[in-house]
Amino acid sequence: MQASVFLVSYPSTASGLPSGVRDAQRAMQQWLLLCDHIVRAGGVPLVLDPPTTAASTDGHGVSPDVLLATSRLGAIFVGARPGGDSSAVFLRAPGSVPAAADASGQADSLTSQLRRYGLKVQTAQHRWGGQADVLGLPRNRYILTQGTCSDPLASDEVAALLPMGAHSLRVDIDRDSGLSAFNVLTTRAGATMVLVSTQALKTTSMAEISTFIGNKCELISLSAEDSAIGAGAMLCVHGNVFVPPGVSTTLRGHLWRFGFQVVDVDVSELGGAAIGLGPRAFALPWSQCMLDDALPTYATRRDELYRRLDEYAAK
């Protein structure tokens, strides 16, 4: 599904660097460039500030890994649901909720920020991969992936928040989330391409996926080489596809033929395989978002965020 608004969060030395981040300044540079690419493509990044102190080991802080890779924080659900509720709901993954905040019943910093953006926040009762495991398709259809770290019951929670009349296909994969197994890309004209890493599928066949998505979407099988470098985590913003460097000429040809503008965006310093290999890991889409002009966006905070590069130089 197309989205113009994305939730992002930058690497912070104060809250502890995520796994795999070796150079804080270079990581911040790549994150800033990713946000600049999103803005140039017509997208609007909304920044979630990480904690100002390091995440503790006693459950008082959100893991830096999860916070930076916002696609794993949870997912945003919009549209009218059974019961009449049509508010935008952010379903947080259990791993993104500090135990201390959960026990006290008080909102932690992340929940407070999400509410400031007008989101209704709920916490999932079962472990799942967040937005990385929810892919929206045309005709109110959704692919819900169940990774190796997900509780099968989580799909029931997710399905309950889908719009009325939604059809979903649940797919078991042998990866920790859908980031490396599926991707859905949409052109400016509304044509949709679905990318699948067949190596990640456990029981569902390509024929079953093809039948589910219908003839309105083009189904492309990713090669093992493209999957390994993060092609499943490409990010699409208004027909611009941000791909990890090294994506094959064959896949690039499919994207160009379909009408996408292909842009290489390197996010390797943001954690690599420890977090997610492609840009989609670091930008959580919010479809149908109507922003209040008074809310700060990445564009309004850009100068402030770039000044942080000097602070990271000695880290």
Side-chain angles (χ1 to χ4, degrees), residues 178-183 222 230-235 242-244 276-281:
L179 274 176
S180 55
F182 283 91
N183 207 338
L222 290 172
M234 298 185 295
L235 178 66
F242 306 142
V243 306
L277 295 171
R280 187 163 68 96

Side-chain angles (χ1 to χ4, degrees), residues 120-185:
K120 180 180 177 181
V121 182
Q122 297 178 197
T123 301
Q125 300 303 304
H126 304 281
R127 184 176 177 83
W128 64 303
Q131 185 67 57
D133 280 336
V134 183
L135 294 102
L137 296 163
R139 300 185 298 134
N140 202 17
R141 293 173 183 266
Y142 295 83
I143 293 175
L144 307 180
T145 55
Q146 297 176 167
T148 54
C149 297
S150 298
D151 185 328
L153 293 176
S155 291
D156 293 330
E157 285 191 83
V158 172
L161 289 172
L162 296 177
M164 286 191 298
H167 298 273
S168 60
L169 176 68
R170 304 183 187 191
V171 181
D172 289 321
I173 56 175
D174 66 0
R175 313 291 167 83
D176 70 330
S177 79
L179 274 176
S180 55
F182 283 91
N183 207 338
V184 178
L185 311 175

Side-chain angles (χ1 to χ4, degrees), residues 7-8 27 42 80 115 146 171 222 238 241 249 252 257 285 309:
L7 296 181
V8 297
R115 289 175 177 168
Q146 297 176 167
V171 181
L222 290 172
H238 293 304
V241 179
T249 54
R252 289 174 187 271
R257 174 180 57 81
L309 284 173

Side-chain angles (χ1 to χ4, degrees), residues 1 14 17 31 38 48 54 88 91 113 116 124 162-163 176 233 235-236 251 262 272 289-290 293 297 300:
M1 305 294 281
L17 289 174
W31 182 85
I38 292 173
L48 298 173
L91 183 66
Q113 292 180 75
R116 182 184 64 181
L162 296 177
D176 70 330
L235 178 66
C236 184
L251 180 54
V262 180
C289 174
M290 298 295 291
D293 290 340
T297 64
T300 62

Side-chain angles (χ1 to χ4, degrees), residues 51-119:
T52 56
T53 57
S56 62
T57 58
D58 59 2
H60 286 72
V62 179
S63 163
D65 292 19
V66 176
L67 186 55
L68 177 60
T70 51
S71 64
R72 297 173 184 262
L73 278 177
I76 300 174
F77 298 88
V78 297
R81 291 175 288 276
D85 182 16
S86 59
S87 56
V89 175
F90 191 100
L91 183 66
R92 288 186 66 168
S96 75
V97 183
D102 192 41
S104 67
Q106 297 179 347
D108 65 318
S109 171
L110 180 57
T111 291
S112 298
Q113 292 180 75
L114 293 169
R115 289 175 177 168
R116 182 184 64 181
Y117 285 131
L119 290 164

Side-chain angles (χ1 to χ4, degrees), residues 176-220:
D176 70 330
S177 79
L179 274 176
S180 55
F182 283 91
N183 207 338
V184 178
L185 311 175
T186 305
T187 68
R188 284 182 175 271
T192 302
M193 174 184 288
V194 180
L195 304 174
V196 184
S197 174
T198 55
Q199 300 83 14
L201 301 178
K202 294 178 72 174
T203 56
T204 308
S205 68
M206 286 290 281
E208 290 173 292
I209 295 170
S210 178
T211 299
F212 177 76
I213 67 176
N215 58 9
K216 300 298 183 182
C217 304
E218 179 154 344
L219 185 62
I220 299 291

